[in-house]
Amino acid sequence: MLDSALEIPGALHAVLISADGLLMARTKDFARDDADRVAAAMSGVQSLSRTLGFFCEDPGQRWRQTLVEFDGGWVFVISAGEGAYLGVSATADVDMADITFRMQQLVTRLGKELTTPPRENLGARS
């Protein structure tokens, strides 16, 4: 499902992480070791970002998104529901409106998947 984020020209990789920095999912062409390292770093980035609500004159504001710019690209981190975050990397020329819109669509779809209750007693023998 995360690979749909890469349909935007310039999008490179996507990861879904838990609030404690554990990798939950990654796009298929992104190495597991790299994804684990990114997950840990993104957890720290969002945690630091979240503490800055007071800087906007209201310490109770809820964190929504962090954007990090590099010489050759961007990293977007957004909330993906309770205790989960979606991160996407992109080239410098990505359409920022398109990528953030696609990320929001993906979060909506992921939310439905993550909140579907597990089936019980599948294959259970009496």
PDB file of all heavy atoms in Angstrom, residues 3 6 9 11-12 20 27 36 39 44 61-62 70 72 75 81-82 86 96 98 104 106 108 114 116-117 123-124:
ATOM      1  N   ASP A   3       3.531   1.837  -1.521  1.00  0.00           N
ATOM      2  CA  ASP A   3       4.091   2.129  -2.836  1.00  0.00           C
ATOM      3  C   ASP A   3       3.247   3.132  -3.609  1.00  0.00           C
ATOM      4  O   ASP A   3       3.747   3.776  -4.523  1.00  0.00           O
ATOM      5  CB  ASP A   3       4.279   0.834  -3.627  1.00  0.00           C
ATOM      6  CG  ASP A   3       5.432   0.019  -3.085  1.00  0.00           C
ATOM      7  OD1 ASP A   3       6.562   0.527  -3.063  1.00  0.00           O
ATOM      8  OD2 ASP A   3       5.199  -1.126  -2.659  1.00  0.00           O
ATOM      9  N   LEU A   6       4.638   6.546  -4.034  1.00  0.00           N
ATOM     10  CA  LEU A   6       5.713   6.738  -4.999  1.00  0.00           C
ATOM     11  C   LEU A   6       5.201   7.021  -6.408  1.00  0.00           C
ATOM     12  O   LEU A   6       6.001   7.194  -7.333  1.00  0.00           O
ATOM     13  CB  LEU A   6       6.630   5.518  -5.007  1.00  0.00           C
ATOM     14  CG  LEU A   6       7.219   5.135  -3.650  1.00  0.00           C
ATOM     15  CD1 LEU A   6       8.208   3.990  -3.812  1.00  0.00           C
ATOM     16  CD2 LEU A   6       7.857   6.319  -2.957  1.00  0.00           C
ATOM     17  N   PRO A   9       5.602  11.963  -9.187  1.00  0.00           N
ATOM     18  CA  PRO A   9       6.953  12.164  -9.726  1.00  0.00           C
ATOM     19  C   PRO A   9       7.865  12.846  -8.701  1.00  0.00           C
ATOM     20  O   PRO A   9       7.506  13.852  -8.107  1.00  0.00           O
ATOM     21  CB  PRO A   9       6.710  13.080 -10.931  1.00  0.00           C
ATOM     22  CG  PRO A   9       5.291  12.810 -11.335  1.00  0.00           C
ATOM     23  CD  PRO A   9       4.559  12.542 -10.032  1.00  0.00           C
ATOM     24  N   ALA A  11       8.897  11.335  -5.875  1.00  0.00           N
ATOM     25  CA  ALA A  11       8.836  10.595  -4.610  1.00  0.00           C
ATOM     26  C   ALA A  11       9.837   9.441  -4.679  1.00  0.00           C
ATOM     27  O   ALA A  11       9.956   8.776  -5.701  1.00  0.00           O
ATOM     28  CB  ALA A  11       7.438  10.078  -4.352  1.00  0.00           C
ATOM     29  N   LEU A  12      10.563   9.212  -3.603  1.00  0.00           N
ATOM     30  CA  LEU A  12      11.628   8.208  -3.594  1.00  0.00           C
ATOM     31  C   LEU A  12      11.305   6.985  -2.750  1.00  0.00           C
ATOM     32  O   LEU A  12      11.356   5.860  -3.240  1.00  0.00           O
ATOM     33  CB  LEU A  12      12.928   8.844  -3.080  1.00  0.00           C
ATOM     34  CG  LEU A  12      13.475  10.003  -3.910  1.00  0.00           C
ATOM     35  CD1 LEU A  12      14.638  10.673  -3.183  1.00  0.00           C
ATOM     36  CD2 LEU A  12      13.901   9.502  -5.283  1.00  0.00           C
ATOM     37  N   ASP A  20       7.370   4.808  18.768  1.00  0.00           N
ATOM     38  CA  ASP A  20       8.616   4.480  19.463  1.00  0.00           C
ATOM     39  C   ASP A  20       9.754   4.158  18.504  1.00  0.00           C
ATOM     40  O   ASP A  20      10.806   3.687  18.912  1.00  0.00           O
ATOM     41  CB  ASP A  20       8.401   3.355  20.465  1.00  0.00           C
ATOM     42  CG  ASP A  20       7.824   2.103  19.852  1.00  0.00           C
ATOM     43  OD1 ASP A  20       7.563   2.081  18.631  1.00  0.00           O
ATOM     44  OD2 ASP A  20       7.625   1.115  20.591  1.00  0.00           O
ATOM     45  N   THR A  27       8.377   0.844   1.563  1.00  0.00           N
ATOM     46  CA  THR A  27       8.172   0.581   0.150  1.00  0.00           C
ATOM     47  C   THR A  27       9.131  -0.519  -0.284  1.00  0.00           C
ATOM     48  O   THR A  27      10.210  -0.692   0.294  1.00  0.00           O
ATOM     49  CB  THR A  27       8.363   1.859  -0.694  1.00  0.00           C
ATOM     50  OG1 THR A  27       9.577   2.501  -0.322  1.00  0.00           O
ATOM     51  CG2 THR A  27       7.198   2.816  -0.497  1.00  0.00           C
ATOM     52  N   ASP A  36      14.940   0.711   8.801  1.00  0.00           N
ATOM     53  CA  ASP A  36      15.011   0.681  10.272  1.00  0.00           C
ATOM     54  C   ASP A  36      15.717   1.931  10.810  1.00  0.00           C
ATOM     55  O   ASP A  36      15.283   2.528  11.789  1.00  0.00           O
ATOM     56  CB  ASP A  36      15.761  -0.563  10.756  1.00  0.00           C
ATOM     57  CG  ASP A  36      14.935  -1.828  10.688  1.00  0.00           C
ATOM     58  OD1 ASP A  36      13.690  -1.743  10.751  1.00  0.00           O
ATOM     59  OD2 ASP A  36      15.536  -2.912  10.568  1.00  0.00           O
ATOM     60  N   ALA A  39      13.413   4.909  10.395  1.00  0.00           N
ATOM     61  CA  ALA A  39      12.319   4.856  11.371  1.00  0.00           C
ATOM     62  C   ALA A  39      12.758   5.427  12.716  1.00  0.00           C
ATOM     63  O   ALA A  39      12.042   6.227  13.323  1.00  0.00           O
ATOM     64  CB  ALA A  39      11.827   3.417  11.534  1.00  0.00           C
ATOM     65  N   GLY A  44      12.522  10.427  16.337  1.00  0.00           N
ATOM     66  CA  GLY A  44      13.151  11.541  17.047  1.00  0.00           C
ATOM     67  C   GLY A  44      12.773  12.886  16.459  1.00  0.00           C
ATOM     68  O   GLY A  44      12.490  13.841  17.191  1.00  0.00           O
ATOM     69  N   GLN A  61      -1.160  22.948  21.049  1.00  0.00           N
ATOM     70  CA  GLN A  61      -1.389  22.633  19.641  1.00  0.00           C
ATOM     71  C   GLN A  61      -0.897  21.229  19.323  1.00  0.00           C
ATOM     72  O   GLN A  61       0.125  20.786  19.821  1.00  0.00           O
ATOM     73  CB  GLN A  61      -0.698  23.652  18.739  1.00  0.00           C
ATOM     74  CG  GLN A  61      -1.353  25.005  18.822  1.00  0.00           C
ATOM     75  CD  GLN A  61      -0.956  25.885  17.671  1.00  0.00           C
ATOM     76  OE1 GLN A  61      -1.184  25.523  16.532  1.00  0.00           O
ATOM     77  NE2 GLN A  61      -0.365  27.024  17.975  1.00  0.00           N
ATOM     78  N   ARG A  62      -1.622  20.573  18.453  1.00  0.00           N
ATOM     79  CA  ARG A  62      -1.301  19.207  18.047  1.00  0.00           C
ATOM     80  C   ARG A  62      -0.362  19.216  16.843  1.00  0.00           C
ATOM     81  O   ARG A  62      -0.600  19.914  15.874  1.00  0.00           O
ATOM     82  CB  ARG A  62      -2.598  18.485  17.702  1.00  0.00           C
ATOM     83  CG  ARG A  62      -2.489  17.000  17.663  1.00  0.00           C
ATOM     84  CD  ARG A  62      -3.855  16.417  17.419  1.00  0.00           C
ATOM     85  NE  ARG A  62      -4.348  16.920  16.142  1.00  0.00           N
ATOM     86  CZ  ARG A  62      -4.744  16.153  15.130  1.00  0.00           C
ATOM     87  NH1 ARG A  62      -4.767  14.869  15.280  1.00  0.00           N
ATOM     88  NH2 ARG A  62      -5.149  16.679  14.007  1.00  0.00           N
ATOM     89  N   PHE A  70      16.764  19.342   2.261  1.00  0.00           N
ATOM     90  CA  PHE A  70      18.179  19.105   2.007  1.00  0.00           C
ATOM     91  C   PHE A  70      18.535  19.747   0.669  1.00  0.00           C
ATOM     92  O   PHE A  70      17.637  20.148  -0.074  1.00  0.00           O
ATOM     93  CB  PHE A  70      18.482  17.603   1.967  1.00  0.00           C
ATOM     94  CG  PHE A  70      18.251  16.918   3.277  1.00  0.00           C
ATOM     95  CD1 PHE A  70      17.027  16.321   3.554  1.00  0.00           C
ATOM     96  CD2 PHE A  70      19.245  16.873   4.240  1.00  0.00           C
ATOM     97  CE1 PHE A  70      16.804  15.703   4.770  1.00  0.00           C
ATOM     98  CE2 PHE A  70      19.022  16.255   5.456  1.00  0.00           C
ATOM     99  CZ  PHE A  70      17.804  15.665   5.721  1.00  0.00           C
ATOM    100  N   GLY A  72      19.372  18.393  -2.025  1.00  0.00           N
ATOM    101  CA  GLY A  72      18.821  17.639  -3.152  1.00  0.00           C
ATOM    102  C   GLY A  72      17.468  17.011  -2.914  1.00  0.00           C
ATOM    103  O   GLY A  72      17.064  16.136  -3.673  1.00  0.00           O
ATOM    104  N   VAL A  75      12.236  15.555   3.079  1.00  0.00           N
ATOM    105  CA  VAL A  75      11.675  14.466   3.888  1.00  0.00           C
ATOM    106  C   VAL A  75      10.417  15.025   4.538  1.00  0.00           C
ATOM    107  O   VAL A  75      10.446  16.084   5.168  1.00  0.00           O
ATOM    108  CB  VAL A  75      12.670  13.972   4.968  1.00  0.00           C
ATOM    109  CG1 VAL A  75      11.998  12.971   5.892  1.00  0.00           C
ATOM    110  CG2 VAL A  75      13.898  13.363   4.309  1.00  0.00           C
ATOM    111  N   GLY A  81      -2.218   8.480  12.346  1.00  0.00           N
ATOM    112  CA  GLY A  81      -3.123   7.906  13.332  1.00  0.00           C
ATOM    113  C   GLY A  81      -2.452   7.846  14.689  1.00  0.00           C
ATOM    114  O   GLY A  81      -1.343   8.341  14.885  1.00  0.00           O
ATOM    115  N   GLU A  82      -3.122   7.222  15.598  1.00  0.00           N
ATOM    116  CA  GLU A  82      -2.636   7.133  16.971  1.00  0.00           C
ATOM    117  C   GLU A  82      -1.365   6.303  17.029  1.00  0.00           C
ATOM    118  O   GLU A  82      -1.364   5.108  16.744  1.00  0.00           O
ATOM    119  CB  GLU A  82      -3.711   6.496  17.854  1.00  0.00           C
ATOM    120  CG  GLU A  82      -3.410   6.550  19.326  1.00  0.00           C
ATOM    121  CD  GLU A  82      -3.411   7.979  19.862  1.00  0.00           C
ATOM    122  OE1 GLU A  82      -4.203   8.798  19.386  1.00  0.00           O
ATOM    123  OE2 GLU A  82      -2.600   8.247  20.777  1.00  0.00           O
ATOM    124  N   LEU A  86       3.898   8.503   9.027  1.00  0.00           N
ATOM    125  CA  LEU A  86       4.252   8.185   7.653  1.00  0.00           C
ATOM    126  C   LEU A  86       5.365   9.134   7.229  1.00  0.00           C
ATOM    127  O   LEU A  86       5.244  10.350   7.406  1.00  0.00           O
ATOM    128  CB  LEU A  86       3.035   8.361   6.738  1.00  0.00           C
ATOM    129  CG  LEU A  86       3.280   8.203   5.237  1.00  0.00           C
ATOM    130  CD1 LEU A  86       3.740   6.778   4.912  1.00  0.00           C
ATOM    131  CD2 LEU A  86       2.010   8.549   4.460  1.00  0.00           C
ATOM    132  N   MET A  96       5.227  19.708  -3.993  1.00  0.00           N
ATOM    133  CA  MET A  96       4.971  19.535  -2.566  1.00  0.00           C
ATOM    134  C   MET A  96       3.481  19.372  -2.257  1.00  0.00           C
ATOM    135  O   MET A  96       3.117  18.615  -1.358  1.00  0.00           O
ATOM    136  CB  MET A  96       5.584  20.681  -1.777  1.00  0.00           C
ATOM    137  CG  MET A  96       7.104  20.646  -1.852  1.00  0.00           C
ATOM    138  SD  MET A  96       7.885  22.054  -1.097  1.00  0.00           S
ATOM    139  CE  MET A  96       7.561  21.739   0.614  1.00  0.00           C
ATOM    140  N   ASP A  98       1.241  18.001  -4.243  1.00  0.00           N
ATOM    141  CA  ASP A  98       0.853  16.656  -4.676  1.00  0.00           C
ATOM    142  C   ASP A  98       1.296  15.592  -3.684  1.00  0.00           C
ATOM    143  O   ASP A  98       0.538  14.690  -3.352  1.00  0.00           O
ATOM    144  CB  ASP A  98       1.436  16.332  -6.051  1.00  0.00           C
ATOM    145  CG  ASP A  98       0.671  16.973  -7.195  1.00  0.00           C
ATOM    146  OD1 ASP A  98      -0.419  17.521  -6.960  1.00  0.00           O
ATOM    147  OD2 ASP A  98       1.189  16.915  -8.333  1.00  0.00           O
ATOM    148  N   GLN A 104      -1.749  12.283   2.687  1.00  0.00           N
ATOM    149  CA  GLN A 104      -3.004  12.345   3.455  1.00  0.00           C
ATOM    150  C   GLN A 104      -3.985  11.269   2.988  1.00  0.00           C
ATOM    151  O   GLN A 104      -4.661  10.642   3.806  1.00  0.00           O
ATOM    152  CB  GLN A 104      -3.639  13.737   3.338  1.00  0.00           C
ATOM    153  CG  GLN A 104      -2.871  14.812   4.057  1.00  0.00           C
ATOM    154  CD  GLN A 104      -2.785  14.586   5.559  1.00  0.00           C
ATOM    155  OE1 GLN A 104      -3.639  13.971   6.182  1.00  0.00           O
ATOM    156  NE2 GLN A 104      -1.723  15.090   6.146  1.00  0.00           N
ATOM    157  N   LEU A 106      -3.174   8.411   1.667  1.00  0.00           N
ATOM    158  CA  LEU A 106      -2.616   7.148   2.134  1.00  0.00           C
ATOM    159  C   LEU A 106      -2.878   6.947   3.618  1.00  0.00           C
ATOM    160  O   LEU A 106      -3.241   5.846   4.051  1.00  0.00           O
ATOM    161  CB  LEU A 106      -1.120   7.107   1.826  1.00  0.00           C
ATOM    162  CG  LEU A 106      -0.374   5.826   2.135  1.00  0.00           C
ATOM    163  CD1 LEU A 106      -1.038   4.618   1.497  1.00  0.00           C
ATOM    164  CD2 LEU A 106       1.066   5.954   1.668  1.00  0.00           C
ATOM    165  N   THR A 108      -5.371   8.084   5.299  1.00  0.00           N
ATOM    166  CA  THR A 108      -6.789   7.731   5.431  1.00  0.00           C
ATOM    167  C   THR A 108      -6.995   6.248   5.150  1.00  0.00           C
ATOM    168  O   THR A 108      -7.676   5.552   5.905  1.00  0.00           O
ATOM    169  CB  THR A 108      -7.646   8.586   4.479  1.00  0.00           C
ATOM    170  OG1 THR A 108      -7.473   9.964   4.833  1.00  0.00           O
ATOM    171  CG2 THR A 108      -9.114   8.220   4.577  1.00  0.00           C
ATOM    172  N   LEU A 114      -5.545  -0.189   9.614  1.00  0.00           N
ATOM    173  CA  LEU A 114      -4.983  -0.396  10.951  1.00  0.00           C
ATOM    174  C   LEU A 114      -6.047  -0.508  12.032  1.00  0.00           C
ATOM    175  O   LEU A 114      -5.795  -1.067  13.091  1.00  0.00           O
ATOM    176  CB  LEU A 114      -4.018   0.742  11.304  1.00  0.00           C
ATOM    177  CG  LEU A 114      -2.752   0.820  10.468  1.00  0.00           C
ATOM    178  CD1 LEU A 114      -1.969   2.082  10.804  1.00  0.00           C
ATOM    179  CD2 LEU A 114      -1.891  -0.403  10.650  1.00  0.00           C
ATOM    180  N   THR A 116      -9.124  -1.918  11.489  1.00  0.00           N
ATOM    181  CA  THR A 116      -9.995  -3.063  11.272  1.00  0.00           C
ATOM    182  C   THR A 116      -9.699  -4.105  12.332  1.00  0.00           C
ATOM    183  O   THR A 116      -8.549  -4.524  12.486  1.00  0.00           O
ATOM    184  CB  THR A 116      -9.764  -3.676   9.871  1.00  0.00           C
ATOM    185  OG1 THR A 116     -10.010  -2.669   8.905  1.00  0.00           O
ATOM    186  CG2 THR A 116     -10.664  -4.872   9.629  1.00  0.00           C
ATOM    187  N   PRO A 117     -10.722  -4.510  13.100  1.00  0.00           N
ATOM    188  CA  PRO A 117     -10.453  -5.485  14.165  1.00  0.00           C
ATOM    189  C   PRO A 117      -9.998  -6.824  13.588  1.00  0.00           C
ATOM    190  O   PRO A 117     -10.459  -7.235  12.530  1.00  0.00           O
ATOM    191  CB  PRO A 117     -11.801  -5.616  14.882  1.00  0.00           C
ATOM    192  CG  PRO A 117     -12.816  -5.043  13.978  1.00  0.00           C
ATOM    193  CD  PRO A 117     -12.117  -4.137  13.020  1.00  0.00           C
ATOM    194  N   GLY A 123      -9.673 -20.815  11.891  1.00  0.00           N
ATOM    195  CA  GLY A 123      -9.019 -22.108  11.880  1.00  0.00           C
ATOM    196  C   GLY A 123      -9.005 -22.820  13.220  1.00  0.00           C
ATOM    197  O   GLY A 123      -8.342 -23.828  13.383  1.00  0.00           O
ATOM    198  N   ALA A 124      -9.731 -22.281  14.179  1.00  0.00           N
ATOM    199  CA  ALA A 124      -9.757 -22.918  15.504  1.00  0.00           C
ATOM    200  C   ALA A 124     -10.558 -24.211  15.427  1.00  0.00           C
ATOM    201  O   ALA A 124     -11.579 -24.288  14.767  1.00  0.00           O
ATOM    202  CB  ALA A 124     -10.361 -21.983  16.519  1.00  0.00           C
TER     203      ALA A 124
END
